[in-house]
Amino acid sequence: MTDLSSGQAAVAEPAAAAKAVCVYCGSSNTADPAFLEAAFQIGGDFARAGLKLVYGGGGVGLMGATARGAHAAGGRVLGIIPKFLRGREQPFDDVETVIVTSMHERKMMMFERSDAFVVLPGGIGTLEEIIELLSWRRLDLHRKPIVFHNPGGFWDPLFALLRHTIDQGLTPPSLADCWRVAEKAADITPTLLAWLAETGGEDAASNVRLLT
């Protein structure tokens, strides 16, 4: 486990590293068991597709289930967790974990280490992360793929709210093209791989310096 809370610089990933996918999701063990099962499957699917998982470092809820699924399937996993959350989110110590000083540092490192994003069911923390990510996309600070897992229409209220802001002229219509949706867990990885293939894995994050 690497501790960056002292301000130590992060070690860069090798240039030839596999594509990395960041997962945003809930960290509560009280989530619907079907969500937890799907998260485990999605993590395993990433591993079998050769995708590295980047996640929030916790061993609980959908977060922990995704990491365990990827690890069990032999995949590479990177967890990033703030020091103050180690007791609450119980890091999954079987995988590489970096300890940082703040939520801001965690989110920035997750963004920088990832080529694409998958959003599973989650609560207020997940909402914060995805709204920030969409806001950065709206500002053309990145063009990384974003795929929602939407079992039973879980994210439909969010999509309706975003559509409402578009209809009211407060958000450009182009924002609606910034994400894709899959209802079934088995469709998440194929959807993501197809999008990466379309773009050639292009990372248009040349303006990432503007985020700091």
Side-chain angles (χ1 to χ4, degrees):
M1 185 176 293
T2 304
D3 190 341
L4 297 186
S5 59
S6 62
Q8 177 184 351
V11 177
E13 289 287 325
K19 291 297 180 184
V21 181
C22 176
V23 168
Y24 293 141
C25 59
S27 59
S28 172
N29 283 327
T30 61
D32 186 332
F35 292 168
L36 295 168
E37 182 178 347
F40 186 89
Q41 177 185 341
I42 289 167
D45 287 346
F46 288 164
R48 287 182 284 273
L51 297 169
K52 179 179 179 179
L53 171 65
V54 177
Y55 82 115
V60 294
L62 279 72
M63 189 187 299
T66 308
R68 286 181 170 83
H71 181 64
R76 295 182 63 202
V77 180
L78 172 63
I80 303 169
I81 189 168
K83 193 171 187 177
F84 78 93
L85 279 180
R86 290 183 64 187
R88 183 182 304 177
E89 294 187 350
Q90 303 167 24
F92 180 35
D93 291 331
D94 289 348
V95 301
E96 178 186 2
T97 302
V98 175
I99 302 171
V100 296
T101 58
S102 67
M103 294 292 286
H104 176 74
E105 188 177 4
R106 176 203 227 178
K107 290 191 293 182
M108 281 305 305
M109 187 175 292
M110 290 172 74
F111 179 83
E112 291 170 347
R113 297 290 186 95
S114 302
D115 301 294
F117 298 85
V118 167
V119 186
L120 308 185
I124 190 68
T126 305
L127 282 167
E128 181 217 4
E129 290 166 330
I130 189 56
I131 291 299
E132 184 172 60
L133 187 67
L134 289 172
S135 175
W136 291 349
R137 180 64 186 264
R138 158 72 177 88
L139 296 171
D140 203 28
L141 296 177
H142 78 94
R143 294 185 180 277
K144 299 180 181 184
I146 303 167
V147 177
F148 283 84
H149 181 219
N150 191 38
F154 181 89
W155 289 112
D156 286 354
L158 173 62
F159 301 148
L161 176 59
L162 293 172
R163 172 54 61 184
H164 174 68
T165 68
I166 292 171
D167 292 343
Q168 293 297 311
L170 299 170
T171 300
S174 59
L175 186 74
D177 298 325
C178 295
W179 68 84
R180 296 182 184 176
V181 179
E183 182 173 351
K184 297 179 180 178
D187 292 335
I188 292 293
T189 297
T191 300
L192 187 61
L193 291 174
W195 195 343
L196 287 169
E198 287 174 18
T199 62
E202 173 191 3
D203 177 4
S206 58
N207 292 324
V208 68
R209 61 183 177 80
L210 300 178
L211 299 174
T212 59

